Amino acid sequence: MINIVLFGKPGAGKGTQAEFLKEKYNLTHISTGDVFRYNLKNGTELGKIAQGYMDKGELVPDSVTIDMLQAEVEKHPDTKGFLFDGFPRTISQAEALDAFLSSKGWSVTATIALEADDEVLVERLLERGKTSGRADDQDEAKIRHRYREYNEKTAPLISYYEAQRKFHAVDGIGPIAEITHRLSSVIDAL
Ligand code: AMP
């Protein structure tokens, strides 16, 4: 079993690359952002809790997010591995993921970061916002708030995974297929 954490700032291309990698390596893709958006659209209790945070570009509280992630993992007992996209985003989430996977005899195999410059990504998100319908992609102040959340709460995960010798980074700028190739080279060497 291989469990990959796809890591990177909003707009770095995690979702796009996950679509290719899940097929190539036969992995179960879990995007916490997608699960939250699905719940929002369907007006579930979880969606109502998440909405206020998502609208402001803030992280949904850890307890809510961790419970949701665990429920998603439990839906796939026979998988060959997971591709986590947008999770974990805080040290608490990473610790909870380690503990949860370990309770099943599993572990995070590697974390792979898609690296890109903030200014390039802000432009990319504003472009995406024109067609994605995502409120959090349409307002530059909200986008910048998501980057502050990332720098404050998510960036410390780099040291967390480096300490476990599980952190890998690839250049996230370039043609989509080229970036898939860079990510695949890391996965093939695991
Ligand atoms: P994303 O599609 O990954 O950019 O996520 C969109 C929004 O969903 C984020 O701005 C957060 O409000 C929420 N979200 C997604 N994943 C997480 C997470 N792991 N922890 C907390 N909030 C999250």
Side-chain angles (χ1 to χ4, degrees), residues 31-94:
S31 155
T32 42
D34 284 351
V35 180
F36 280 134
R37 278 185 289 279
Y38 175 86
N39 279 276
L40 217 94
K41 209 172 92 197
N42 290 284
T44 68
E45 226 25 68
L46 177 63
K48 284 177 198 146
I49 297 171
Q51 180 154 31
Y53 298 100
M54 294 175 77
D55 280 352
K56 283 185 269 181
E58 282 173 13
L59 293 185
V60 178
D62 283 337
S63 56
V64 177
T65 307
I66 290 166
D67 285 353
M68 178 196 90
L69 187 278
Q70 294 188 351
E72 289 298 314
V73 168
E74 297 287 6
K75 289 181 189 167
H76 305 277
D78 300 322
T79 184
K80 293 213 157 47
F82 290 97
L83 183 59
F84 297 108
D85 161 6
F87 185 96
R89 260 168 148 116
T90 65
I91 295 280
S92 298
Q93 291 180 15

Side-chain angles (χ1 to χ4, degrees), residues 143-163:
I143 291 176
R144 296 210 178 264
H145 191 63
R146 282 155 72 198
Y147 285 98
R148 278 198 294 281
E149 287 278 88
Y150 172 91
N151 287 329
E152 194 184 309
K153 298 174 181 166
T154 309
L157 289 177
I158 297 173
S159 321
Y160 179 88
Y161 286 114
E162 271 174 351

Side-chain angles (χ1 to χ4, degrees), residues 171-185:
D171 181 358
I173 300 296
I176 290 174
E178 171 59 31
I179 296 167
T180 309
H181 180 71
R182 290 175 201 157
L183 291 164
S184 302
S185 304

Side-chain angles (χ1 to χ4, degrees), residues 3 73 82 84 96-108:
N3 295 307
V73 168
F82 290 97
F84 297 108
L97 181 64
D98 279 347
F100 178 59
L101 292 179
S102 147
S103 75
K104 296 179 171 297
W106 301 339
S107 61
V108 169

Side-chain angles (χ1 to χ4, degrees), residues 11-12 44 87 94 126-128 169:
T44 68
F87 185 96
L126 285 168
E127 259 321 293
R128 182 170 87 179

